[in-house]
Amino acid sequence: MGKVKSIKNIGVDKLIPYINNAKQHTEEQVTKIASSIREFGFLSPVLIDKDYNIIAGHGRVMAAKKLALKDVPCVFVEGLTDAQRKAYILADNRLGELTGWDMDLVTSELEMLQENDFDIDLTGFELENVTADWFAQHEQNDDSRQEGNDEYNEFLDKFEQPKTTDDCYTPDLVYDAVADWVANEYKVSRDNFVRPFYPGGDYQNAKYKKTDIVVDNPPFSILSEIVRFYCERGIRFFLFAPSLTLFSSSSSSCVCSICVGGDVIYENKANVSTSFLTNLELEYRARTAPTLYKAVREAADKIRAENRRDLAKNNFPDEVITSSKLAYFSKYGVDFKVRREESEHIRALDAQKELKQAIFGSGFLISEKAAAEKAAATVWKLSDREWEIVRGLGNG
């Protein structure tokens, strides 16, 4: 367990930033931190180890350098292992992000500061932007997806920040397959199944009835803690779990490991080999479940089939060109040009607009003459060898 010593002022140049610090501070953020320090003083000391490596406070140190401060208050932390130090650096940055805001209270506090002629910018908020929309924007990234434009949306997906395993929400088909298996295997009613691990859910403060059975996909990072919580309180459960670390989360005597290993593509696109932990049967420490594997696999296969889209481009008429189509021509050596006066820019055909669709990347309407040249350019000719094959077909 880490211990802290008294606060000491340490020269800024002696402090060593953690090279793998995953929390990146923008110039704007550093400027705001500097403004806060200038207004309030350096009230939150930097945490460092005995070798002056920064554990927490990278942004404050960057701001101190911006303010040309020679030294800053620091607290030496002792007793942390290297793994604990790395984990704390992540936790210090992450845990604060998981808290929520009361919009009414924030607005009230900002209005009070404004009435007292206080510089609201020092809080990091802008009063005119603190609305329900503001919080929705900061808690859920708006990536400007277009309804009905699957190709464009798939393009945006490539730039999404990957989510963690704790964001692996279970597809409905997979959940139903598992829930049906549990109900049949243990002769229990699905009416008693509860799911406390919805986004923002608090499993520890949920109200559990004696008849309740938790059948859900919990955050994998705290799975052992969740299992221990339920075992200590006698709450029945059947939990999704990553196969790779299944046994490390099932050391408790009240848990049976159901080793399935079904590949499930969760709603965040993460493909996780999935097994299960339960206290619905205590006679066995671990077991297989071929019928459960089959149920999970069939549900996962059905999802893949439903999501498998033919990415062959839309079949537009010859009078429409797209950048992808012309790039295809270039790839296969087709020389094709469209004169400026023979083209008009469009974003969608009228038929597409009725379905709220559009041309991905937009396109051009071209003249009949240019369309005829385009059509001629895409007619592939058979080689002499292929003609020989054609002439011989059906003659034997």
Side-chain angles (χ1 to χ4, degrees):
M1 181 179 295
K3 297 180 180 180
V4 299
K5 301 177 70 174
S6 59
I7 297 178
K8 293 184 179 180
N9 286 332
I10 304 295
V12 172
D13 292 337
K14 295 182 66 174
L15 302 177
I16 305 171
Y18 179 44
I19 192 171
N20 289 327
N21 185 34
K23 181 74 170 182
Q24 301 299 315
H25 294 279
T26 65
E27 182 63 25
E28 180 183 2
Q29 290 171 332
V30 173
T31 298
K32 289 185 176 181
I33 295 173
S35 298
S36 176
I37 293 173
R38 189 184 295 112
E39 175 68 23
F40 307 114
F42 211 111
L43 301 181
S44 183
V46 179
L47 301 186
I48 60 176
D49 64 17
K50 60 182 179 61
D51 297 317
Y52 300 96
N53 294 299
I54 300 174
I55 298 175
H58 288 81
R60 296 191 292 280
V61 172
M62 294 169 67
K65 291 180 178 180
K66 190 177 185 71
L67 294 171
L69 300 181
K70 294 183 178 180
D71 51 50
V72 296
C74 297
V75 172
F76 286 90
V77 178
E78 298 179 337
L80 291 180
T81 65
D82 186 61
Q84 287 175 324
R85 180 173 62 86
K86 292 176 183 292
Y88 183 82
I89 291 173
L90 289 173
D92 181 66
N93 289 319
R94 176 61 174 156
L95 294 179
E97 299 173 355
L98 301 178
T99 59
W101 294 95
D102 185 313
M103 292 185 292
D104 292 335
L105 290 178
V106 171
T107 303
S108 175
E109 291 293 290
L110 292 178
E111 288 175 344
M112 183 275 293
L113 292 174
Q114 188 178 52
E115 290 173 0
N116 287 272
D117 296 322
F118 193 87
D119 185 2
I120 292 177
D121 287 343
L122 294 173
T123 67
F125 288 100
E126 297 177 8
L127 181 58
E128 62 271 21
N129 292 331
V130 181
T131 62
D133 292 339
W134 186 93
F135 284 94
Q137 178 183 352
H138 285 73
E139 292 178 4
Q140 178 177 340
N141 182 34
D142 177 11
D143 54 13
S144 302
R145 278 163 166 69
Q146 297 179 1
E147 182 180 353
N149 197 340
D150 293 337
E151 188 178 2
Y152 177 70
N153 295 337
E154 286 178 358
F155 174 76
L156 290 179
D157 286 342
K158 297 178 181 179
F159 297 93
E160 278 195 344
Q161 182 71 22
K163 296 182 179 180
T164 68
T165 54
D166 287 358
D167 300 311
C168 292
Y169 308 128
T170 313
D172 290 339
L173 281 174
V174 173
Y175 180 82
D176 286 338
V178 172
D180 287 343
W181 186 90
V182 172
N184 181 68
E185 181 75 9
Y186 301 109
K187 308 305 179 204
V188 292
S189 172
R190 281 194 60 170
D191 292 339
N192 294 325
F193 293 178
V194 295
R195 303 186 66 179
F197 297 106
Y198 55 88
D202 185 354
Y203 78 96
Q204 291 181 329
N205 292 314
K207 303 299 183 183
Y208 298 101
K209 302 190 295 289
K210 288 185 177 180
T211 55
D212 285 346
I213 304 173
V214 179
V215 181
D216 206 354
N217 183 20
F220 293 159
S221 65
I222 56 171
L223 186 55
S224 296
E225 173 187 322
I226 293 168
V227 168
R228 184 164 53 252
F229 177 87
Y230 285 145
C231 285
E232 290 174 351
R233 290 159 180 77
I235 298 171
R236 296 182 294 173
F237 62 83
F238 192 94
L239 302 175
F240 289 64
S243 299
L244 187 63
T245 57
L246 186 65
F247 287 168
S248 63
S249 301
S250 62
S251 57
S252 172
S253 60
C254 85
V255 179
C256 175
S257 298
I258 313 292
C259 304
V260 174
D263 288 333
V264 176
I265 298 179
Y266 290 87
E267 290 189 4
N268 68 348
K269 307 297 191 298
N271 191 340
V272 181
S273 177
T274 302
S275 291
F276 304 89
L277 295 173
T278 186
N279 61 355
L280 295 178
E281 54 179 310
L282 300 181
E283 181 180 356
Y284 306 106
R285 169 78 72 177
R287 57 164 287 194
T288 64
T291 54
L292 179 54
Y293 171 81
K294 181 179 179 182
V296 170
R297 185 193 65 192
E298 289 178 349
D301 287 347
K302 186 174 182 180
I303 292 173
R304 291 186 183 95
E306 292 178 350
N307 292 338
R308 190 180 297 118
R309 285 187 281 265
D310 182 7
L311 295 182
K313 305 301 183 258
N314 289 320
N315 292 320
F316 292 112
D318 288 333
E319 292 75 19
V320 174
I321 60 170
T322 63
S323 59
S324 59
K325 184 65 175 180
L326 296 194
Y328 180 84
F329 281 7
S330 293
K331 178 179 180 181
Y332 289 100
V334 177
D335 192 7
F336 176 72
K337 300 181 180 71
V338 179
R339 303 183 71 84
R340 188 172 299 277
E341 63 271 17
E342 293 185 296
S343 61
E344 181 173 336
H345 184 257
I346 58 172
R347 297 191 180 278
L349 296 176
D350 290 341
Q352 288 182 296
K353 293 176 182 178
E354 294 175 2
L355 300 176
K356 296 183 178 180
Q357 296 184 7
I359 299 173
F360 178 59
S362 73
F364 287 97
L365 280 176
I366 59 177
S367 68
E368 290 183 293
K369 176 185 174 184
E373 294 174 357
K374 171 175 174 278
T378 58
V379 176
W380 304 100
K381 296 182 179 180
L382 298 180
S383 66
D384 292 340
R385 181 188 64 83
E386 290 163 336
W387 271 117
E388 285 295 323
I389 296 174
V390 169
R391 293 188 184 104
L393 293 175
N395 294 331

